[in-house]
Amino acid sequence: MISQAELEAVVHDIKKVARAADQSGGQDSDDHDDEQSENGFLPRTYDIERLHADDARDKVFVAILKALAARHNRPSSPKELATCIMKHEFTLLGGATPYATVSSRISQHFKRIFEHSPPRPPILGRVAHEKHTRKYFYYVSSAHEQEEFQRKVRAGMIPTQPVASSGARRAKKPRCMVPAIAVETDQPAGRTRRAASADTTNAGIRTAGGAGGARGGQLGGAHERPRRTSYDGGSAGSGSDSDGNPYARKRFRSVRSAVAHA
């Protein structure tokens, strides 16, 4: 928030630009494009005394007001305002599209007025394009328009509920207050849930293997571990493959030795 002295200095600078434009006469006619001439916009009366401190501290928005004062407060598009600002060097417009910066600051101005409770009157007014209804031209509003806005607020024609800004964080949803599951106390300290789960799984496997071995012993003998298969397809534990059967294939220590022998 700027001080009252700084606010008065900003208003004085805008009035100074307006006086310079009045003295220059029609030298700034090159700022008007063909589209504006077709709509026949004329200079409008305005009241800059009610400039709010929140708007005065925005340098780009102050430059927009100066551009409107230099153009004799003719309704202007963001592109025209950006051209005038860069021509008179009111401020520096960054970015590849300066008119987009101007349009963004105007939108922020209209958002700020509704963030107050009750909403304060806007310093800018707008008029729609004759052919393109979604295209607006902006100007500094008059004292009558600002008083009319306040009358509508008091009459309830304009909502007084403040609008949440886009930068505000959204309220988080309340968490479900479900009690946590109790942890078993027989687990030793330092062991994770994954390790306990692995122990449970291994214990189940050993139990299943023991039960299968017991059944195998009852059926026809003790449960034996299956022998490892060698590279020739036979059993690695059988030592008399080639002794009793002359047609039995020889066993090799590796795949490479088997291929070399073949």
PDB file of all heavy atoms in Angstrom, residues 133-147:
ATOM      1  N   THR A 133     -18.851  -8.298 -30.486  1.00  0.00           N
ATOM      2  CA  THR A 133     -19.371  -7.988 -29.154  1.00  0.00           C
ATOM      3  C   THR A 133     -18.429  -8.419 -28.035  1.00  0.00           C
ATOM      4  O   THR A 133     -18.549  -7.932 -26.914  1.00  0.00           O
ATOM      5  CB  THR A 133     -20.734  -8.667 -28.963  1.00  0.00           C
ATOM      6  OG1 THR A 133     -20.594 -10.089 -29.175  1.00  0.00           O
ATOM      7  CG2 THR A 133     -21.748  -8.111 -29.954  1.00  0.00           C
ATOM      8  N   ARG A 134     -17.510  -9.321 -28.318  1.00  0.00           N
ATOM      9  CA  ARG A 134     -16.581  -9.777 -27.288  1.00  0.00           C
ATOM     10  C   ARG A 134     -15.307  -8.935 -27.233  1.00  0.00           C
ATOM     11  O   ARG A 134     -14.430  -9.210 -26.427  1.00  0.00           O
ATOM     12  CB  ARG A 134     -16.215 -11.247 -27.537  1.00  0.00           C
ATOM     13  CG  ARG A 134     -17.408 -12.192 -27.446  1.00  0.00           C
ATOM     14  CD  ARG A 134     -16.985 -13.631 -27.572  1.00  0.00           C
ATOM     15  NE  ARG A 134     -16.097 -14.027 -26.493  1.00  0.00           N
ATOM     16  CZ  ARG A 134     -15.543 -15.233 -26.375  1.00  0.00           C
ATOM     17  NH1 ARG A 134     -15.817 -16.163 -27.292  1.00  0.00           N
ATOM     18  NH2 ARG A 134     -14.735 -15.513 -25.372  1.00  0.00           N
ATOM     19  N   LYS A 135     -15.207  -7.948 -28.063  1.00  0.00           N
ATOM     20  CA  LYS A 135     -14.053  -7.060 -28.064  1.00  0.00           C
ATOM     21  C   LYS A 135     -14.450  -5.747 -27.407  1.00  0.00           C
ATOM     22  O   LYS A 135     -15.461  -5.140 -27.780  1.00  0.00           O
ATOM     23  CB  LYS A 135     -13.561  -6.816 -29.491  1.00  0.00           C
ATOM     24  CG  LYS A 135     -12.278  -5.997 -29.556  1.00  0.00           C
ATOM     25  CD  LYS A 135     -11.771  -5.898 -30.977  1.00  0.00           C
ATOM     26  CE  LYS A 135     -10.454  -5.134 -31.025  1.00  0.00           C
ATOM     27  NZ  LYS A 135      -9.927  -5.035 -32.397  1.00  0.00           N
ATOM     28  N   TYR A 136     -13.658  -5.313 -26.433  1.00  0.00           N
ATOM     29  CA  TYR A 136     -13.996  -4.136 -25.655  1.00  0.00           C
ATOM     30  C   TYR A 136     -12.940  -3.054 -25.839  1.00  0.00           C
ATOM     31  O   TYR A 136     -11.758  -3.336 -26.064  1.00  0.00           O
ATOM     32  CB  TYR A 136     -14.125  -4.486 -24.165  1.00  0.00           C
ATOM     33  CG  TYR A 136     -15.276  -5.415 -23.859  1.00  0.00           C
ATOM     34  CD1 TYR A 136     -15.063  -6.785 -23.702  1.00  0.00           C
ATOM     35  CD2 TYR A 136     -16.564  -4.926 -23.723  1.00  0.00           C
ATOM     36  CE1 TYR A 136     -16.114  -7.637 -23.421  1.00  0.00           C
ATOM     37  CE2 TYR A 136     -17.627  -5.775 -23.436  1.00  0.00           C
ATOM     38  CZ  TYR A 136     -17.397  -7.122 -23.286  1.00  0.00           C
ATOM     39  OH  TYR A 136     -18.434  -7.971 -23.018  1.00  0.00           O
ATOM     40  N   PHE A 137     -13.415  -1.823 -25.693  1.00  0.00           N
ATOM     41  CA  PHE A 137     -12.563  -0.644 -25.679  1.00  0.00           C
ATOM     42  C   PHE A 137     -12.719   0.012 -24.305  1.00  0.00           C
ATOM     43  O   PHE A 137     -13.847   0.123 -23.795  1.00  0.00           O
ATOM     44  CB  PHE A 137     -12.956   0.332 -26.792  1.00  0.00           C
ATOM     45  CG  PHE A 137     -12.691  -0.187 -28.171  1.00  0.00           C
ATOM     46  CD1 PHE A 137     -13.579  -1.062 -28.800  1.00  0.00           C
ATOM     47  CD2 PHE A 137     -11.541   0.180 -28.855  1.00  0.00           C
ATOM     48  CE1 PHE A 137     -13.334  -1.544 -30.066  1.00  0.00           C
ATOM     49  CE2 PHE A 137     -11.287  -0.308 -30.132  1.00  0.00           C
ATOM     50  CZ  PHE A 137     -12.183  -1.162 -30.733  1.00  0.00           C
ATOM     51  N   TYR A 138     -11.616   0.462 -23.735  1.00  0.00           N
ATOM     52  CA  TYR A 138     -11.598   0.932 -22.356  1.00  0.00           C
ATOM     53  C   TYR A 138     -11.343   2.431 -22.302  1.00  0.00           C
ATOM     54  O   TYR A 138     -10.673   2.995 -23.159  1.00  0.00           O
ATOM     55  CB  TYR A 138     -10.535   0.176 -21.561  1.00  0.00           C
ATOM     56  CG  TYR A 138     -10.749  -1.318 -21.538  1.00  0.00           C
ATOM     57  CD1 TYR A 138     -10.139  -2.140 -22.495  1.00  0.00           C
ATOM     58  CD2 TYR A 138     -11.577  -1.908 -20.600  1.00  0.00           C
ATOM     59  CE1 TYR A 138     -10.353  -3.512 -22.492  1.00  0.00           C
ATOM     60  CE2 TYR A 138     -11.789  -3.290 -20.585  1.00  0.00           C
ATOM     61  CZ  TYR A 138     -11.175  -4.077 -21.537  1.00  0.00           C
ATOM     62  OH  TYR A 138     -11.387  -5.428 -21.536  1.00  0.00           O
ATOM     63  N   TYR A 139     -11.864   3.038 -21.232  1.00  0.00           N
ATOM     64  CA  TYR A 139     -11.708   4.477 -21.003  1.00  0.00           C
ATOM     65  C   TYR A 139     -11.777   4.738 -19.506  1.00  0.00           C
ATOM     66  O   TYR A 139     -12.193   3.867 -18.722  1.00  0.00           O
ATOM     67  CB  TYR A 139     -12.802   5.266 -21.739  1.00  0.00           C
ATOM     68  CG  TYR A 139     -14.199   4.920 -21.289  1.00  0.00           C
ATOM     69  CD1 TYR A 139     -14.841   5.650 -20.283  1.00  0.00           C
ATOM     70  CD2 TYR A 139     -14.892   3.850 -21.854  1.00  0.00           C
ATOM     71  CE1 TYR A 139     -16.115   5.331 -19.858  1.00  0.00           C
ATOM     72  CE2 TYR A 139     -16.159   3.522 -21.441  1.00  0.00           C
ATOM     73  CZ  TYR A 139     -16.778   4.261 -20.437  1.00  0.00           C
ATOM     74  OH  TYR A 139     -18.042   3.926 -20.017  1.00  0.00           O
ATOM     75  N   VAL A 140     -11.375   5.929 -19.079  1.00  0.00           N
ATOM     76  CA  VAL A 140     -11.465   6.314 -17.673  1.00  0.00           C
ATOM     77  C   VAL A 140     -12.897   6.749 -17.394  1.00  0.00           C
ATOM     78  O   VAL A 140     -13.446   7.604 -18.102  1.00  0.00           O
ATOM     79  CB  VAL A 140     -10.474   7.446 -17.344  1.00  0.00           C
ATOM     80  CG1 VAL A 140     -10.563   7.816 -15.862  1.00  0.00           C
ATOM     81  CG2 VAL A 140      -9.052   7.022 -17.698  1.00  0.00           C
ATOM     82  N   SER A 141     -13.496   6.154 -16.390  1.00  0.00           N
ATOM     83  CA  SER A 141     -14.901   6.428 -16.100  1.00  0.00           C
ATOM     84  C   SER A 141     -15.075   7.820 -15.495  1.00  0.00           C
ATOM     85  O   SER A 141     -14.156   8.392 -14.896  1.00  0.00           O
ATOM     86  CB  SER A 141     -15.457   5.367 -15.147  1.00  0.00           C
ATOM     87  OG  SER A 141     -14.721   5.370 -13.937  1.00  0.00           O
ATOM     88  N   SER A 142     -16.274   8.319 -15.629  1.00  0.00           N
ATOM     89  CA  SER A 142     -16.600   9.643 -15.099  1.00  0.00           C
ATOM     90  C   SER A 142     -17.084   9.528 -13.662  1.00  0.00           C
ATOM     91  O   SER A 142     -17.328   8.424 -13.139  1.00  0.00           O
ATOM     92  CB  SER A 142     -17.677  10.299 -15.967  1.00  0.00           C
ATOM     93  OG  SER A 142     -18.871   9.531 -15.942  1.00  0.00           O
ATOM     94  N   ALA A 143     -17.263  10.670 -13.010  1.00  0.00           N
ATOM     95  CA  ALA A 143     -17.754  10.678 -11.631  1.00  0.00           C
ATOM     96  C   ALA A 143     -19.179  10.141 -11.559  1.00  0.00           C
ATOM     97  O   ALA A 143     -19.548   9.446 -10.595  1.00  0.00           O
ATOM     98  CB  ALA A 143     -17.680  12.098 -11.070  1.00  0.00           C
ATOM     99  N   HIS A 144     -19.990  10.436 -12.563  1.00  0.00           N
ATOM    100  CA  HIS A 144     -21.367   9.943 -12.579  1.00  0.00           C
ATOM    101  C   HIS A 144     -21.394   8.419 -12.678  1.00  0.00           C
ATOM    102  O   HIS A 144     -22.195   7.764 -11.990  1.00  0.00           O
ATOM    103  CB  HIS A 144     -22.126  10.568 -13.757  1.00  0.00           C
ATOM    104  CG  HIS A 144     -23.504  10.016 -13.925  1.00  0.00           C
ATOM    105  ND1 HIS A 144     -24.541  10.300 -13.053  1.00  0.00           N
ATOM    106  CD2 HIS A 144     -24.027   9.162 -14.869  1.00  0.00           C
ATOM    107  CE1 HIS A 144     -25.630   9.663 -13.446  1.00  0.00           C
ATOM    108  NE2 HIS A 144     -25.346   8.973 -14.549  1.00  0.00           N
ATOM    109  N   GLU A 145     -20.558   7.839 -13.500  1.00  0.00           N
ATOM    110  CA  GLU A 145     -20.520   6.388 -13.631  1.00  0.00           C
ATOM    111  C   GLU A 145     -20.044   5.725 -12.341  1.00  0.00           C
ATOM    112  O   GLU A 145     -20.555   4.661 -11.954  1.00  0.00           O
ATOM    113  CB  GLU A 145     -19.607   5.994 -14.791  1.00  0.00           C
ATOM    114  CG  GLU A 145     -20.145   6.386 -16.157  1.00  0.00           C
ATOM    115  CD  GLU A 145     -19.172   6.101 -17.270  1.00  0.00           C
ATOM    116  OE1 GLU A 145     -17.953   6.060 -16.995  1.00  0.00           O
ATOM    117  OE2 GLU A 145     -19.623   5.910 -18.417  1.00  0.00           O
ATOM    118  N   GLN A 146     -19.092   6.325 -11.655  1.00  0.00           N
ATOM    119  CA  GLN A 146     -18.607   5.758 -10.406  1.00  0.00           C
ATOM    120  C   GLN A 146     -19.674   5.848  -9.313  1.00  0.00           C
ATOM    121  O   GLN A 146     -19.841   4.914  -8.513  1.00  0.00           O
ATOM    122  CB  GLN A 146     -17.330   6.475  -9.978  1.00  0.00           C
ATOM    123  CG  GLN A 146     -16.177   6.298 -10.957  1.00  0.00           C
ATOM    124  CD  GLN A 146     -14.949   7.087 -10.561  1.00  0.00           C
ATOM    125  OE1 GLN A 146     -14.835   7.556  -9.436  1.00  0.00           O
ATOM    126  NE2 GLN A 146     -14.017   7.243 -11.488  1.00  0.00           N
ATOM    127  N   GLU A 147     -20.420   6.949  -9.258  1.00  0.00           N
ATOM    128  CA  GLU A 147     -21.510   7.069  -8.285  1.00  0.00           C
ATOM    129  C   GLU A 147     -22.646   6.101  -8.610  1.00  0.00           C
ATOM    130  O   GLU A 147     -23.277   5.555  -7.698  1.00  0.00           O
ATOM    131  CB  GLU A 147     -22.019   8.510  -8.261  1.00  0.00           C
ATOM    132  CG  GLU A 147     -21.007   9.508  -7.703  1.00  0.00           C
ATOM    133  CD  GLU A 147     -21.489  10.941  -7.840  1.00  0.00           C
ATOM    134  OE1 GLU A 147     -22.599  11.126  -8.399  1.00  0.00           O
ATOM    135  OE2 GLU A 147     -20.773  11.858  -7.400  1.00  0.00           O
TER     136      GLU A 147
END
